[in-house]
Amino acid sequence: MNKSIYKISGMDCRAEEQMVTMKLEDVDSISKLEFNLPERTLIVFHSDENNLITNKINELQLDSKL
């Protein structure tokens, strides 16, 4: 199991959290998402490389960094 931590500066409410969740829902390698809205971070637990996950998050244009 791999763990990737993203800082998503534009994610500050449940609406953005829901957008990220919906964007990643079809990625089969993801086993769990942990959001921390006050810190604007997302921890993704996944089995494959994080390239697809990173690309999908970046498509939302929420100023994200791995």
Side-chain angles (χ1 to χ4, degrees):
M1 185 64 52
N2 299 305
K3 177 170 94 170
S4 297
I5 302 172
Y6 293 88
K7 174 72 173 174
I8 307 176
S9 298
M11 182 181 69
D12 60 0
C13 70
R14 296 278 178 209
E16 284 98 3
E17 178 182 328
Q18 186 63 28
M19 286 172 39
V20 173
T21 300
M22 289 172 49
K23 191 69 170 178
L24 298 176
E25 69 186 357
D26 64 339
V27 180
D28 294 332
S29 66
I30 295 175
S31 61
K32 184 177 181 182
L33 300 174
E34 288 184 1
F35 291 90
N36 183 327
L37 288 178
E39 293 186 19
R40 298 181 183 193
T41 58
L42 166 63
I43 301 173
V44 181
F45 296 90
H46 54 95
S47 57
D48 290 337
E49 295 296 318
N50 61 15
N51 295 336
L52 175 61
I53 298 165
T54 301
N55 289 339
K56 285 187 164 281
I57 292 172
N58 287 340
E59 287 175 6
L60 294 171
Q61 298 180 344
L62 294 173
D63 190 24
S64 60
K65 297 190 186 332
L66 179 61

